Amino acid sequence: MAVGEQGRKLPARRVFLSHTSELGEWPKPRSFVAAAKDAVAAAGDAVVDMSAFTARDATPEQLDREMLAEADIYVLIAGFRYGTPVRGRPEVSYCEQEFEFATAAGMERLVFVLAEDTEGPPALIRDLEHGREQEAFRKRLPDSGLTITRVSSPGELAAKLERALNRVPRSRPESKLAGRISNIPARTATFTGRDELLNSLRAALCSGQPAVVQALNGMGGVGKTTTAIEYAHRHGEDYDVAWWVPSEDPSLVLGHLADLAQSLGLTTGQDSPAVAVSRLRGALRSRGRWLVVFDNAEDPAALRPLLPTGGGHVIITSRNPDWDDIGAALPVRQFTRPESIQLLRTRCDRLTESDADRIANALGDLPLAVNQAARLLATTGLTVEDYLELLSERTDELMARQEMGSSYPVSPAAAWTLSFDQLGRDHPAALSTLTLVAWLAPEPVPLALLTHQDGDAGAAARDPLAFADATAALRGRGMAEVTTTTIQLHRVPAALLRARTHDDIVIEGDRDSTWPVSAVRLLNAGLPDDPWSNPPSWPRWRELLPHLLVVCDPDRAWQPAADEVAHLLDRTATYLQTRGDPRVALPLFRRAYALRKEFLGEDNPGTLACANNLALGLSDLGEHQQARQLNEDTLARRKRLSGDDDPGTLTAANNLALGLSDLGEHQQARELNEDILTRRRRVLGDDDPGTLTAANNLAVNLGNLGEHQQARELNEDTLSRRKRVLGEDHPDILTSASNLALDLSNLGEHQQARELNEDTLARRKRVLGDDHPRTLTSASRLAVDLSNLGEHQQARELHEDTFARAKRVLGEDHPYTLIFASNLAADLRNLGEHRQARELAENILARRNRLLDNEDSGEIT
């Protein structure tokens, strides 16, 4: 913004940019048009170009004339392309016609021509179709009596255009509206952040349209109103009239606008509000330097007939995002984390950055809640721990507080309670759906999951039209972020809604159908397919993971659904285990097993299935002795209850065999696996996945006992059968391939082993990811192959990467980590780095009791 002689800001001039389309795209990353817009902004002016046109019933020629008529300065950027011919006048391009219009209107004209040495793609530099016309136009420009400025780059254009604009004399037109009038509320003295949003709002309002309607939408407490107030005060010098219109009740808007008309002397108290508003709109249509803010408007249809037009600006704040046919929406989001921290530490200087970050995270950066927390901490002796405990245990009481001196008119709880009440009256099914979402995690919830609701809300969710109405109500009121596939509720209103419904019964007559139980049953009904070695199901499990963890939280009152919680915990742990995160999976396995034992007893099949999975989780983290004891107990119970050939019994036997192998008892493991394989072949057939798992595990035992040729033959047969049954990239196939590569290496066929391991590693990375324990196993085995082939430096680099990943994923004491470290030490010795090798070997010896050198492959039920 330019400054006048008395230090007052002068209004931005409207600069019309005339150019052909390729100059808006080239060169990358900063085009000529982008550079020109930067120069206009730097000079304190606003851009007018075709990108600002709104859809309307007018020809491009009419729009050209109207936009030029509104502009103060015309700028031409003439490249080497002639541009689109004018409809009905094909001998002239739109750029040349704009030049003609500007000349005829006597406008201030600044002309910049791209010089011949400008570099760029030939297709953009040369116009094969209209090149002659453009060349002729470029030659005619100097004859117009103008000074032509040549430029070769966007940077040169920006610098020269800014200088040229600053040389054009400015004038400060007197306002045609008498006096300065404003009823804008007082600004917040400690307004924080929002610079990017305010800049975007200013740019939109000054984009050159006769009137710009800008909707600032967002949920309650996010700061829409305070942002609009701050804008009005920051740019107060740009407006002679600034009027605030409370718009939550559409029936009162007319009266507020009539008040403005009376303040401007356009009407008397004897005129009706409708007459007053008609006169007001007529007066504003032909004048500029006015701002009208419609705060908390919810109904676009009701507000549209009352919106003023002309050279001023209109801002709308609303929870409803559907203002597209009135004005482009600027979403008002939560604070960024730095903005939250800044506000908290500005108001309460005793807070460390770390403490402020913890509070901001707990509040989800919701401005109203962050502001309340800052004032509460600044005016009381509460510690950060005290506050977070209150937030966790007494959210509704805490959020209901209205701190003295707050710039917000209501508390966070009050801001949302009214919305909940109104939603319940207007859309009971929508409120029920929102409540259920509140009992899930503050993350996106798949809409498909909500079709599994119970009761009337479930019936509505399964009706596409009824569900569309419910989600539209939530979106239109700004109560949740709704996409075509998900819905998400902010953590603060979610906590308020949970406190409000904690003891409610969802289905009349069913005392067990509380909201925590309903959330458990919703997840149980919507669980994806079994995740074990089933990559296609993993995206869906990943989507549901935060919700599964939340609904199973031990502090939730889900006890009537304890068995369902145990099932969810076991399945969630299984997903984490098969995805390569055994450390996170193990405590969930423990909880599932404990719940099943408590509620079902030790001999229940569900309890034994959880025991089996817990043992596998222990084994994967190197807790082999605990795993063995649990497997022995599970196998004994299975045999007693179901017999030796039952699939559950064979699964328990399989896992015990794995545990024996982990403990180095390879002969016992072999004998047990031979018995399992025989039984499975007899009961299930040769190609059953369970049979092939038993064959795979027996092959591992044979390899551990030095019977490498037998192991190879069995692994080759298993791999062939698995490919036929499962396809090329199934995790079980990759396990067989990895084990076969180990057999080849043990038989001295190192090149074959290398090729197979390279292929397996590439597939595992694609299917399982770079950090999965099985991927790390393939990487380590490939590194060993490289070393066996004399490529020690390559082996070292691969082992260093594998060792670093294993430490991060599995921990420094995990058997796999120690194996990878041992192999790295061997690489170092092969390269003559004996001191480093010795130090690493000493570290390994200090950490381990035994070394595992085989890959686990177990079943999970």
Side-chain angles (χ1 to χ4, degrees):
M1 174 64 69
V3 179
E5 293 179 0
Q6 284 77 40
R8 296 184 68 192
K9 293 180 179 177
L10 295 178
R13 298 167 299 185
R14 296 175 177 179
V15 180
F16 186 99
L17 293 182
S18 180
H19 57 86
T20 45
S21 61
E22 82 283 355
L23 299 183
E25 303 174 359
W26 163 79
K28 302 291 187 184
R30 188 194 193 199
S31 69
F32 280 99
V33 174
K37 290 182 176 180
D38 290 344
V40 172
D45 295 320
V47 170
V48 178
D49 65 7
M50 291 295 288
S51 66
F53 288 175
T54 54
R56 49 174 291 202
D57 186 15
T59 66
E61 295 89 314
Q62 289 174 305
L63 291 172
D64 249 354
R65 288 182 183 275
E66 291 177 13
M67 297 297 281
L68 279 162
E70 291 291 334
D72 303 303
I73 300 173
Y74 166 86
V75 174
L76 171 63
I77 311 169
F80 300 96
R81 298 182 67 83
Y82 194 51
T84 305
V86 175
R87 185 171 57 188
R89 195 184 172 197
E91 73 279 4
V92 177
S93 72
Y94 280 101
C95 273
E96 185 164 3
Q97 179 174 265
E98 289 163 1
F99 181 78
E100 292 175 357
F101 288 169
T103 302
M107 294 181 65
E108 185 76 38
R109 292 168 296 161
L110 303 175
V111 177
F112 297 84
V113 176
L114 268 58
E116 294 294 333
D117 61 351
T118 303
E119 296 182 0
L124 294 178
I125 289 292
R126 295 298 173 213
D127 190 335
L128 298 180
E129 186 176 0
H130 300 291
R132 290 182 180 179
E133 289 89 338
Q134 179 65 357
E135 191 62 28
F137 178 43
R138 285 165 59 96
K139 288 180 178 179
R140 285 196 298 273
L141 290 172
D143 297 335
S144 63
L146 294 170
T147 300
I148 307 301
T149 303
R150 296 188 179 276
V151 295
S152 301
S153 68
E156 187 180 4
L157 172 62
K160 291 183 176 180
L161 175 54
E162 183 181 353
R163 285 200 298 271
L165 288 170
N166 286 329
R167 290 182 185 136
V168 176
R170 296 174 182 265
S171 61
R172 182 182 180 87
E174 292 298 321
S175 171
K176 296 181 181 179
L177 292 172
R180 291 180 60 79
I181 296 173
S182 174
N183 72 338
I184 301 296
R187 74 199 300 183
T188 303
T190 53
F191 185 89
T192 300
R194 300 301 197 194
D195 289 337
E196 183 178 348
L197 176 62
L198 288 165
N199 290 338
S200 297
L201 176 57
R202 181 62 180 171
L205 292 169
C206 295
S207 63
Q209 301 177 64
V212 175
V213 179
Q214 197 62 44
L216 296 178
N217 62 73
M219 66 180 179
V222 84
K224 303 179 298 298
T225 296
T226 53
T227 299
I229 292 172
E230 178 65 18
Y231 171 85
H233 282 281
R234 285 194 187 186
H235 299 281
E237 289 295 315
D238 298 326
Y239 301 108
D240 293 325
V241 174
W243 202 253
W244 191 268
V245 181
S247 306
E248 191 164 359
D249 186 343
S251 66
L252 301 180
V253 172
L254 199 68
H256 291 297
L257 291 174
D259 292 342
L260 173 57
Q262 189 168 354
S263 297
L264 293 171
L266 300 172
T267 183
T268 67
Q270 296 175 340
D271 293 316
S272 70
V275 169
V277 171
S278 295
R279 291 179 180 174
L280 173 67
R281 296 182 75 224
L284 296 181
R285 185 179 296 118
S286 59
R287 297 177 172 92
R289 293 182 54 76
W290 52 262
L291 170 69
V292 178
V293 181
F294 294 89
D295 184 45
N296 276 330
E298 299 301 331
D299 187 351
L303 189 61
R304 184 184 291 106
L306 303 177
L307 294 176
T309 59
H313 296 157
V314 174
I315 297 174
I316 299 171
T317 77
S318 177
R319 292 188 183 191
N320 188 344
D322 295 324
W323 296 87
D324 294 348
D325 60 341
I326 293 180
L330 267 68
V332 185
R333 304 294 185 187
Q334 295 90 278
F335 276 151
T336 64
R337 184 55 51 84
E339 287 174 339
S340 296
I341 291 173
Q342 179 186 347
L343 175 59
L344 286 162
R345 299 192 72 196
T346 298
R347 298 273 177 84
C348 185
D349 56 11
R350 64 185 169 89
L351 289 177
T352 65
E353 183 156 348
S354 174
D355 285 340
D357 181 75
R358 292 169 62 202
I359 293 170
N361 183 66
L363 295 171
D365 298 295
L366 186 66
L368 178 54
V370 172
N371 178 70
Q372 184 214 49
R375 287 189 172 276
L376 183 62
L377 289 165
T379 57
T380 68
L382 283 176
T383 66
V384 172
E385 299 302 331
D386 291 336
Y387 178 83
L388 293 175
E389 184 176 348
L390 281 172
L391 183 63
S392 173
E393 297 178 0
R394 300 166 63 187
T395 305
D396 51 338
E397 293 179 58
L398 184 62
M399 291 293 132
R401 293 175 60 90
Q402 176 67 1
E403 299 307 316
M404 293 294 294
S406 173
S407 59
Y408 289 94
V410 295
S411 69
W416 278 93
T417 297
L418 183 63
S419 297
F420 295 146
D421 290 342
Q422 187 173 353
L423 182 66
R425 289 192 298 270
D426 298 342
H427 296 279
L431 179 59
S432 181
T433 294
L434 190 69
T435 304
L436 188 55
V437 169
W439 284 93
L440 303 176
E443 302 290 339
V445 178
L447 293 177
L449 177 67
L450 297 174
T451 62
H452 297 283
Q453 294 179 74
D454 293 326
D456 294 341
R462 289 184 287 276
D463 179 336
L465 292 179
F467 197 42
D469 289 342
T471 55
L474 296 173
R475 183 176 183 274
R477 295 166 186 243
M479 301 188 75
E481 187 168 341
V482 182
T483 71
T484 56
T485 58
T486 64
I487 180 172
Q488 183 173 3
L489 179 60
H490 188 277
R491 65 177 67 243
V492 170
L496 293 171
L497 201 45
R498 288 196 302 273
R500 172 189 175 109
T501 61
H502 189 275
D503 298 320
D504 288 359
I505 302 299
V506 182
I507 300 176
E508 188 175 350
D510 183 357
R511 296 189 59 79
D512 288 343
S513 67
T514 61
W515 285 108
V517 170
S518 293
V520 168
R521 289 175 177 167
L522 177 78
L523 268 298
N524 220 1
L527 276 187
D529 294 336
D530 182 8
W532 187 253
S533 293
N534 184 13
S537 75
W538 293 347
R540 176 81 167 141
W541 278 99
R542 183 168 57 249
E543 194 176 39
L544 294 182
L545 179 61
H547 307 295
L548 288 162
L549 296 175
V550 162
V551 302
C552 295
D553 188 289
D555 293 332
R556 286 282 182 93
W558 42 248
Q559 283 67 28
D563 186 50
E564 291 167 283
V565 169
H567 178 68
L568 293 181
L569 287 168
D570 181 76
R571 295 295 82 197
T572 302
T574 298
Y575 163 69
L576 291 166
Q577 179 104 351
T578 194
R579 283 294 290 121
D581 203 349
R583 286 195 290 182
V584 179
L586 185 60
L588 303 184
F589 277 137
R590 290 188 188 278
R591 285 185 58 203
Y593 178 52
L595 277 173
R596 283 264 167 88
K597 273 206 306 183
E598 178 182 355
F599 287 94
L600 301 179
E602 291 188 319
D603 287 342
N604 183 274
T607 305
L608 296 176
C610 285
N612 176 79
N613 296 342
L614 171 58
L616 190 59
L618 290 165
S619 181
D620 272 3
L621 285 172
E623 305 288 345
H624 301 306
Q625 192 57 48
Q626 287 187 58
R628 174 182 183 166
Q629 293 170 1
L630 186 54
N631 275 322
E632 286 177 336
D633 179 73
T634 303
L635 178 58
R637 293 177 186 277
R638 287 278 193 185
K639 283 184 175 182
R640 187 177 71 251
L641 293 169
S642 306
D644 291 351
D645 290 342
D646 181 78
T649 303
L650 296 176
T651 294
N654 176 80
N655 285 358
L656 176 57
L658 286 172
L660 293 169
S661 185
D662 289 334
L663 290 165
E665 299 180 24
H666 302 304
Q667 185 57 40
Q668 277 185 268
R670 171 186 180 166
E671 293 169 2
L672 185 52
N673 269 323
E674 285 176 334
D675 179 68
I676 295 168
L677 180 57
T678 299
R679 293 177 184 276
R680 285 205 153 162
R681 281 176 171 166
R682 184 178 69 248
V683 175
L684 303 173
D686 289 349
D687 289 341
D688 181 81
T691 303
L692 296 176
T693 295
N696 173 84
N697 295 345
L698 176 57
V700 171
N701 299 144
L702 293 170
N704 288 333
L705 290 167
E707 299 180 28
H708 302 304
Q709 186 57 40
Q710 276 186 269
R712 171 185 180 167
E713 292 169 1
L714 185 52
N715 269 323
E716 285 177 333
D717 179 72
T718 304
L719 177 58
S720 175
R721 292 176 184 275
R722 277 181 159 171
K723 282 183 177 180
R724 187 169 66 247
V725 173
L726 302 174
E728 287 291 330
D729 285 343
H730 191 280
D732 289 351
I733 288 174
L734 300 179
T735 294
S736 288
S738 179
N739 291 342
L740 176 57
L742 180 61
D743 297 331
L744 293 170
S745 181
N746 287 329
L747 290 166
E749 299 180 27
H750 302 304
Q751 185 57 38
Q752 270 187 273
R754 171 187 180 165
E755 293 170 2
L756 184 52
N757 268 325
E758 283 177 334
D759 178 72
T760 304
L761 176 59
R763 292 174 185 272
R764 276 183 161 169
K765 283 184 175 181
R766 185 173 67 249
V767 174
L768 304 176
D770 290 353
D771 290 341
H772 195 284
R774 295 185 185 182
T775 304
L776 299 180
T777 297
S778 285
S780 179
R781 288 181 176 176
L782 175 57
V784 171
D785 295 332
L786 293 170
S787 182
N788 287 333
L789 291 167
E791 299 179 28
H792 301 302
Q793 184 58 37
Q794 276 186 266
R796 173 197 180 156
E797 292 169 3
L798 185 52
H799 262 135
E800 283 178 334
D801 178 72
T802 304
F803 180 42
R805 292 176 185 273
K807 284 194 292 185
R808 185 176 68 251
V809 174
L810 300 173
E812 294 193 356
D813 292 335
H814 192 279
Y816 284 8
T817 306
L818 298 177
I819 291 172
F820 303 153
S822 178
N823 291 342
L824 175 57
D827 296 331
L828 293 170
R829 285 193 296 273
N830 288 330
L831 290 167
E833 300 182 26
H834 299 296
R835 182 181 59 80
Q836 280 186 266
R838 183 175 63 254
E839 291 174 355
L840 184 56
E842 289 172 351
N843 180 269
I844 296 167
L845 287 173
R847 290 182 175 277
R848 71 180 179 181
N849 295 319
R850 63 187 63 85
L851 180 68
L852 299 177
D853 197 22
N854 65 284
E855 179 187 25
D856 288 345
S857 174
E859 289 178 288
I860 199 159
T861 58

